[in-house]
Amino acid sequence: MTRNYRKEYDNYQGKPEQIANRSSRNTARRKLKNSGYKLKGKDVDHKDGNPKNNSIANLRVRSKSSNRSRK
């Protein structure tokens, strides 16, 4: 069975709320990178789980495995 990326985008990723969340996550990454953090191979984690809260106190750099295993 092949993955239907078009259907995923139409049903979830293309929704205005999800586009705003993705944009905010990109902004958080850019914000830490401009602050001098080394992000190669790392993820930016929102401590409270809210991707729209981009205060410096809420952001941290974590390894991909630890960030993506967190619920």
Side-chain angles (χ1 to χ4, degrees), residues 15-70:
K15 302 289 184 194
E17 181 182 2
Q18 296 310 318
I19 291 171
N21 286 343
R22 182 171 62 247
S23 175
S24 184
R25 285 190 292 270
N26 291 339
T27 301
R29 186 170 183 85
R30 197 166 35 253
K31 189 175 188 178
L32 284 185
K33 188 173 183 180
N34 289 338
S35 295
Y37 286 90
K38 304 291 183 192
L39 300 177
K40 188 170 185 175
K42 304 282 185 177
D43 277 353
V44 174
D45 178 35
H46 291 82
K47 293 177 186 177
D48 66 359
N50 179 4
K52 294 183 181 175
N53 182 0
N54 285 336
S55 67
I56 290 291
N58 187 47
L59 301 175
R60 62 182 166 194
V61 178
R62 295 182 75 180
S63 68
K64 286 182 181 181
S65 61
S66 66
N67 189 46
R68 295 177 187 183
S69 66
R70 187 182 133 194

